[in-house]
Amino acid sequence: MEIKAIRGFNDILPNEIGKWQFVEESAREVFEGFGFSEIRIPIIERTELFSRGIGEATDIVEKEMYTFTDRSGNSLTLRPEATASMARAYLEHQIYSFDPVAKLYCIGPMFRYERPQKGRYRQFYQIDAEVFGVENPMVDAEVIIMLIHFLKRVGLEKLELQINTLGCRDCRPRYREELRKFLATKSFQLCEDCQRRLQTNPLRILDCKVESCQEAIADAPKVIDFIDGECQKHFDKVKAYLEMAGLSYILNPRMVRGLDYYTRTAFEVVSYQLGSQNAVTGGGRYDNLFQEIGGLDVPGIGFAIGMERLISLLPKEKEFIRYPHLFIAALGEEAYREAYRLVNQLHLEGIRAELDYEAKSLKSQMRRADKLKVQYVLILGEEEMKRGKAALRNMTDKFQEEILINNLLETLKSKIVFD
Ligand code: AMP
């Protein structure tokens, strides 16, 4: 039987990779311009990092983790997100001892056992950016400004920034209790998952996409009416800094984030070009995460962009594939030797040159050049070579000219733009 990839796990093929590279390169450029440094963390961690960090009563920990026991009996998990690992690395390597403020980003695959559908996979890629060690709302606005700048930079349009506050450890329990009481009166309307969430994590019900649950929460109390003075002040400042930067936002009092560790500022960027899985990115502040995993009290804020969703939104007209610059069509043994010598020379110069390995007819070589969408074809024919000449054909306008073969490399460089 033919072996296929696992459901929800995708290959990213050569004809798609240009978009991925473009997005990754843009992220590196933008983020590093904002003072962020890359960090690479392991794909596998101890399970308790996620169960303690993300929270036991979250969908991720309850039913989406790829957890297994290794040969020594340790419970390990394929990372479902990057923030907890980045926080662990910050503590483990005492990055704070150099400077308590760390601005970090990380690009890589995450793993969640979710039901695969369009825009939802079991292995998917995220670009994460986090700032550790700053409580000031300036930094909340700063990461949002960087995020929007990046999304625009890669060409996304029709984006909507939604923000909310989730309160803190002091004020949220009161809200959670009010919400639970309110939803208990509507429990007959709630889906099976939300019936359970009512006991374990009522805030998550606000996030449920099931229609009857959406109806049940229509008049639910809002967290903004329960937050304490400090949280209110923090939120007001975040909004003021966003306004100062000229960013418009929508207040979405129903927005909660899937993970337990979020406090205060929460945000999402949604795109109306996407269907039901319309969130391109989500993030927020998590001032309790560090205490959950390591005992130090370090505030944090950050976001994770889903790369598959982002890539599906890139402008259609932009060209991401790097086609060969030049195809060398050779006829006859001597011409072939010259073609091979030249192709190697061009590769050393970083010029994307191809030739035919099978010594086929000129017609079939031209067909292949056409299929490869090359910009130019250099035709080396036996007769022409005897005269010290070759033909250079521009495949866009079909203009063909004779060129001299001595000093061929320099001649090609003067005629072709090798971008
Ligand atoms: P989260 O870590 O759940 O806040 O997700 C952050 C972003 O990652 C989302 O906005 C999505 O763009 C993306 N994402 C989350 N889960 C998946 C998934 N299963 N498949 C593809 N993208 C995902």
Side-chain angles (χ1 to χ4, degrees), residues 9 43 64 66 78-80 109-113 122-123:
F9 287 67
I43 281 176
E64 293 172 1
Y66 277 92
L78 293 184
R79 64 182 186 199
M110 307 296 152
F111 305 85
R112 294 184 197 171
Y113 194 81
R122 288 180 172 171
Q123 175 177 334

Side-chain angles (χ1 to χ4, degrees), residues 60 64 80-83 110-128 257-259 261-262 268-269 274 277-283 303-310:
I60 292 185
E64 293 172 1
E81 55 104 54
T83 312
M110 307 296 152
F111 305 85
R112 294 184 197 171
Y113 194 81
E114 295 192 83
R115 197 167 55 77
Q117 52 179 285
K118 192 172 183 306
R120 187 181 286 278
Y121 310 103
R122 288 180 172 171
Q123 175 177 334
F124 60 97
Y125 286 76
Q126 285 188 338
I127 303 177
D128 285 80
R257 310 272 312 124
L259 320 182
Y261 55 54
Y262 285 107
E268 267 183 17
V269 180
L274 287 170
Q277 303 298 327
N278 66 356
V280 190
T281 165
F303 59 76
I305 304 170
M307 283 187 75
E308 284 80 358
R309 292 186 202 170
L310 172 62

Side-chain angles (χ1 to χ4, degrees), residues 325-337:
H325 293 114
L326 183 71
F327 186 92
I328 306 179
L331 289 168
E333 215 164 292
E334 198 172 320
Y336 243 92
R337 251 198 314 276

Side-chain angles (χ1 to χ4, degrees), residues 253-267:
R254 300 259 177 262
M255 188 217 308
V256 287
R257 310 272 312 124
L259 320 182
D260 254 9
Y261 55 54
Y262 285 107
T263 51
R264 294 193 169 167
T265 316
F267 54 91

Side-chain angles (χ1 to χ4, degrees), residues 52-220:
R52 279 187 5 216
I54 299 173
E56 295 282 359
T58 54
D59 281 359
I60 292 185
V61 174
E62 273 181 352
K63 50 187 188 188
E64 293 172 1
M65 295 206 303
Y66 277 92
T67 297
F68 63 97
T69 309
D70 75 1
R71 288 172 198 273
S72 316
N74 301 311
S75 177
L76 305 180
T77 293
L78 293 184
R79 64 182 186 199
E81 55 104 54
T83 312
S85 306
M86 286 159 82
R88 177 201 48 70
Y90 175 87
L91 295 175
E92 186 170 337
H93 305 287
Q94 296 167 8
I95 294 177
Y96 51 83
S97 63
F98 168 66
D99 183 353
V101 182
K103 297 180 173 182
L104 305 169
Y105 74 91
C106 165
I107 302 177
M110 307 296 152
F111 305 85
R112 294 184 197 171
Y113 194 81
E114 295 192 83
R115 197 167 55 77
Q117 52 179 285
K118 192 172 183 306
R120 187 181 286 278
Y121 310 103
R122 288 180 172 171
Q123 175 177 334
F124 60 97
Y125 286 76
Q126 285 188 338
I127 303 177
D128 285 80
E130 315 286 343
V131 181
F132 298 149
V134 189
E135 216 182 331
N136 194 311
M138 266 182 198
V139 95
D140 302 40
E142 194 177 316
V143 296
I144 296 175
I145 292 165
M146 178 171 89
L147 171 63
I148 300 288
H149 176 62
F150 166 69
L151 294 175
K152 287 190 178 156
R153 166 80 175 268
V154 295
L156 262 57
E157 289 168 2
K158 296 195 194 129
L159 298 172
E160 184 178 279
L161 167 65
Q162 301 186 354
I163 60 169
N164 192 20
T165 177
L166 302 177
C168 66
R169 195 182 274 169
D170 299 329
C171 56
R172 195 159 57 193
R174 195 160 69 85
Y175 171 65
R176 184 192 290 246
E177 191 44 32
E178 283 302 312
L179 183 67
R180 202 191 56 73
K181 271 201 261 169
F182 172 86
L183 290 170
T185 66
K186 312 242 172 197
S187 73
F188 60 94
Q189 265 178 280
L190 301 177
C191 71
E192 212 174 296
D193 276 343
C194 286
Q195 301 265 354
R196 195 169 34 82
R197 289 174 183 144
L198 195 53
Q199 302 312 323
T200 57
N201 195 352
L203 260 76
R204 292 287 284 123
I205 299 176
L206 298 177
D207 222 11
C208 184
K209 298 272 187 295
V210 175
E211 206 172 309
S212 61
C213 298
Q214 291 275 322
E215 284 164 17
I217 61 168
D219 300 316

